[in-house]
Each structure stands twice: as C-alpha cells, then as structure tokens.
Amino acid sequence: MRALKVDVLTLFPGILAGPLNESILKRAREKKLLDVRTWNIRDFTEDKHKTADDSPYGGEAGMVLKPEPVFKAMEAVKAASPGEAFLTVLLSPQGRLFDHREAERFSRESRRILLLCGHYEAIDERVREALVDEELSIGDYVLTGGETAALVVIDAAARLIPGVLGDEESAYRDSFGDGLLDHPHYTRPAEFRGMKVPEVLLSGNHEAVSKWRRRESLKATLLKRPDLLATAELTDEDRKVLEELKRKLGKN
Ligand code: 4GX
C-alpha cells in the first residue's frame, strides 16, 4: 500500500488543521493513505518569550525566522521517526514551480516529506544551506506564509495515491495526467433555462462521446492554455484535430 507521509514545520499549525480534517484529505488520513504530522516551531524556542523571529543583520525592514528553533524542530521530527529517510522541502517564492509532475513525484516518494513553512519575510540562510534539499514555490505571488503552499502540495500529491479518490472521483484523475485541460461536464436536466446539453452526450454512443471529450479538451487547452500543448501527450489524431480547430477558431 502506497501512502504519503508528511511532517509540516510551522508557527501556525492551526492553518493546516481545518483543511486536513475535511472531505477527501480527512478520509485519506482515516484510511492511513495520508499521514500528516504538524510541528509547532515555537515549541522549540528556548527563551521565556518563545521568540521565533528576529530583525535581519545589515538593517533592512521585516523579520527573519531564527535558525535555532528550526534546527531543534527538525532534529525532533527526525528523532520521532528513527531510521526513516526524509526529503526536506522549503516552501518559498524563490523555489522551483510546483506542478502536476512534482505532485506525481511526491505521491511516489517513499521517504517522509518534511515541509518547512516560513511565516515572516525570510528564513535564516543557514537553515536553507544545512537542512533544505529542495525549494518549491506554488506560484509567482507572495503569500503571508508557507502553510497554504504546504496544503496545496499535500492536497495535489495525496489525491494521486491509489485509494484516496473513490472510483467515481478517480475517473477525473487523468485530466491533467496527459497535460491537457479538462473537457466540459453536464448533469441533469438536459435543458436548463433554455440552455441545452450537447446532443452527443445524450446519444449513448460511447465512441462519439470519447471523441467529443478529447476534442473539447484540446479546444480548451488551445484557447485557455496554449503553452501546455508544447509538453502535452498528443497522438497523430490529436494533432489533426488541433490543426482543424486552429483553422476554425482563426488561431493561425
Ligand atoms: N510558494 N511564501 C514563504 C516566507 C519565506 C520566505 C523565504 C522562507 C524563505 C510561497 C509561494 C510564498 C511567502 C511562503 C513567503 N519563507 N511559498 N514565506 N509563492 O509566497 O510557496
């Protein structure tokens, strides 16, 4: 049985608690397919004010996460799983961009994944140098902290673990697997306020439905995210359909 094992180091474990205790992630944890442990960095401070941050050397604005509590916390995480290997990941805007491929890689990772979430503007560089294997970013924008980024990574990787999604849901799992955007979906009624469901979906012709879906995926990708076509898995038939769509949509 494959499982995703994650330790999250954070100053605000409460940010993760809600999302991990709802819906699919909650069920995955109950089924032992997802094991997430959160650790509060503040518990590893030594002074009576439990100081985790300090002002930067060299005099600039903002605060920096201190190295001592992070080193201590990481030592405690490792001591709690003796003999286990870890992949330590820092979430920050300076990281390599996290995408579906990275999610796949994490979902197949046998080591425990240690996610380090900074809150404040920065983290002491000695943490990065001594403790971090990889630095990842979930996108080119700035968050208030790494916790929401850690949740994105956990969520995207967990749903790829076999058994996390039910049969009904897992049909959707591949929609990014081939690098294309999803096709449109419809449910009852067949006509709603004058808006009709495409005829082919009511036809019962499975082959025609599959062709329609593929075509719609290609169309959505061409119109909304043409950059994805460069790396998508395309058949010769896909390429023909794309050429035809480009002509029709005036994309040439
Ligand atoms: N994708 N942030 C981290 C503080 C920080 C800065 C530098 C360590 C080093 C982000 C993102 C993100 C804001 C999380 C700054 N910690 N994380 N935080 N985009 O914007 O992952």
Side-chain angles (χ1 to χ4, degrees):
M1 186 178 84
R2 246 164 82 195
L4 184 67
K5 291 173 271 175
V6 187
D7 292 279
V8 185
L9 259 66
T10 167
L11 284 166
F12 300 96
I15 298 175
L16 291 124
L20 291 171
N21 285 307
E22 298 278 354
S23 182
I24 295 171
L25 296 183
K26 177 189 189 175
R27 205 178 59 203
R29 293 175 67 208
E30 287 165 355
K31 290 202 253 176
K32 308 286 179 210
L33 296 170
L34 173 63
D35 166 15
V36 184
R37 301 175 192 171
T38 54
W39 303 77
N40 192 335
I41 295 169
R42 204 172 297 282
D43 292 343
F44 300 90
T45 53
E46 308 266 77
D47 62 311
K48 82 164 193 285
H49 295 109
K50 298 185 178 293
T51 316
D53 63 327
D54 203 344
S55 47
Y57 276 118
E60 51 177 347
M63 295 300 269
V64 179
L65 187 57
K66 289 166 66 63
E68 301 98 318
V70 177
F71 272 75
K72 284 244 159 63
M74 218 166 276
E75 282 153 13
V77 169
K78 291 182 178 171
S81 298
E84 286 204 64
F86 283 85
L87 173 66
T88 301
V89 177
L90 173 66
L91 283 321
S92 100
Q94 281 80 47
R96 186 174 72 237
L97 276 182
F98 180 76
D99 62 10
H100 184 76
R101 275 182 56 183
E102 301 277 342
E104 281 276 2
R105 180 167 66 87
F106 281 171
S107 81
R108 295 172 191 284
E109 179 62 63
S110 57
R111 289 170 285 183
R112 293 192 67 87
I113 297 169
L114 201 163
L115 298 176
L116 176 56
C117 306
H119 218 88
Y120 319 123
E121 288 74 11
I123 190 160
D124 189 283
E125 188 66 17
R126 289 163 291 189
V127 170
R128 199 185 253 118
E129 281 171 0
L131 302 176
V132 172
D133 299 314
E134 305 187 0
E135 198 166 355
L136 285 181
S137 165
I138 62 157
D140 292 334
Y141 35 75
V142 181
L143 302 167
T144 57
E147 291 78 11
T148 45
L151 278 168
V152 166
V153 169
I154 292 167
D155 187 294
R159 66 186 289 286
L160 298 174
I161 303 281
V164 166
L165 297 185
D167 287 343
E168 286 290 300
E169 301 147 333
S170 61
Y172 294 103
R173 184 168 28 217
D174 293 337
S175 56
F176 230 111
D178 56 15
L180 292 177
L181 298 186
D182 206 1
H183 53 77
H185 300 268
Y186 296 89
T187 185
R188 275 176 282 272
E191 182 173 341
F192 174 68
R193 299 192 179 181
M195 297 175 281
K196 289 182 174 149
V197 171
E199 202 64 49
V200 60
L201 297 178
L202 313 174
S203 70
N205 182 340
H206 298 301
E207 200 188 314
V209 169
S210 294
K211 272 187 86 169
W212 178 84
R213 287 187 177 144
R214 189 69 184 178
R215 184 187 168 83
E216 290 296 321
S217 281
L218 291 164
K219 187 160 106 189
T221 312
L222 180 64
L223 289 174
K224 301 176 191 180
R225 291 291 307 278
D227 56 300
L228 295 177
L229 291 172
T231 48
E233 275 176 40
L234 300 175
T235 64
D236 290 348
E237 177 62 20
D238 289 337
R239 291 180 201 284
K240 273 189 211 154
V241 172
L242 272 171
E243 284 316 309
E244 187 216 319
L245 284 168
K246 281 185 203 167
R247 272 198 309 277
K248 266 204 182 146
L249 302 164
K251 281 255 156 196
N252 269 337

